[in-house]
Amino acid sequence: MSENQKEQLTEQEWSHFFDVEDLEGSSERLTIEASEEELEDVARRLQIPAIKSAKADLVLKREQGGRVIHVSGTFAAHIVQDCVVSGEPIESELSDSVEGWFADKDKTVSFATAKRDREADKNNNLEVELMEESEDPEPILNGAIDLGELVTQHISLALPPYPHKEGVVFEHGDENLQINEDSPLRKNPFEALKDWKEKR
């Protein structure tokens, strides 16, 4: 990929561009790892205190007659989150699968996508059928796929929504606990009704 093409691509917090022309044969394996600066930027984007490491082992394959690039593999990340009960930092290891489909939509459109678009036109864009990603791949931009951004999205999906330290339990009425106003486990407004029912 030329420097001019790289400049035209949108840089994300963790961008690792792969030029699809470098995909020799039908498949290729590679490993990507975020730098310290990229880890800080991704943590800021995901609104968590820190990400200490993030790495992915990926396989890129040509499918559907070479028209589509299928990316699969796994990632591992060492993250730091705040306990939603005590506010203390929690370190944990995340690992999960990675998968994505990409195609150059300027050159070709899948039959499934063309059929969906035709049906949408008939229905005046109402009740558009949702498609599997494999049938409606993401676009390849300027001949490249941003593998770092793909992995970042999967890390985001794998984050525990309510992280809390083992053994730490929120008890109603404990004045020593400092619950952030935005915490998902902040005091429930219906808790008072529950207490009133128990007293009755």
Side-chain angles (χ1 to χ4, degrees):
M1 183 189 309
S2 69
E3 290 300 320
N4 186 44
Q5 284 179 310
K6 288 182 180 179
E7 291 176 359
Q8 294 175 19
L9 295 171
T10 302
E11 290 278 352
Q12 301 295 338
E13 290 80 3
W14 176 19
S15 281
H16 184 104
F17 296 113
F18 180 84
D19 191 335
V20 296
E21 291 184 359
D22 293 338
L23 184 54
E24 300 178 358
S26 60
S27 66
E28 183 170 335
R29 294 178 179 272
L30 73 157
T31 298
I32 65 173
E33 188 167 5
S35 67
E36 289 187 12
E37 182 179 354
E38 289 167 337
L39 292 172
E40 292 177 1
D41 292 340
V42 172
R44 192 177 303 111
R45 167 179 167 179
L46 301 184
Q47 299 180 355
I48 61 177
I51 301 178
K52 295 192 172 182
S53 66
K55 182 179 180 180
D57 296 313
L58 306 172
V59 178
L60 286 77
K61 290 184 178 179
R62 291 190 181 275
E63 296 183 356
Q64 301 182 26
R67 183 185 66 83
V68 172
I69 307 297
H70 179 208
V71 182
S72 62
T74 58
F75 79 83
H78 186 157
I79 66 168
V80 180
Q81 292 178 283
D82 288 332
C83 175
V84 294
V85 178
S86 66
E88 297 178 81
I90 308 170
E91 295 192 23
S92 58
E93 299 286 344
L94 295 182
S95 61
D96 208 340
S97 60
V98 175
E99 193 162 37
W101 286 264
F102 300 84
D104 189 340
K105 296 190 176 182
D106 290 336
K107 295 181 179 179
T108 181
V109 178
S110 71
F111 173 77
T113 303
K115 180 180 178 182
R116 181 203 59 184
D117 293 344
R118 186 170 63 249
E119 291 298 324
D121 290 339
K122 288 181 180 179
N123 297 325
N124 294 321
N125 295 322
L126 298 177
E127 299 180 2
V128 177
E129 180 183 358
L130 293 177
M131 300 172 60
E132 294 291 335
E133 188 179 356
S134 58
E135 297 178 335
D136 188 25
E138 294 293 316
I140 295 174
L141 302 176
N142 294 321
I145 297 171
D146 190 347
L147 298 175
E149 172 60 16
L150 176 66
V151 176
T152 297
Q153 292 174 9
H154 282 75
I155 292 174
S156 175
L157 293 173
L159 287 176
Y162 308 119
H164 65 277
K165 279 198 168 185
E166 186 176 352
V168 176
V169 180
F170 173 70
E171 296 180 2
H172 176 63
D174 189 344
E175 293 80 12
N176 295 323
L177 294 178
Q178 299 297 320
I179 306 299
N180 188 293
E181 184 62 24
D182 296 327
S183 169
L185 295 185
R186 64 184 181 277
K187 184 177 177 181
N188 189 322
F190 296 102
E191 194 75 28
L193 293 178
K194 174 176 173 290
D195 292 344
W196 175 81
K197 184 177 179 180
E198 290 175 354
K199 290 178 182 178
R200 296 275 291 179

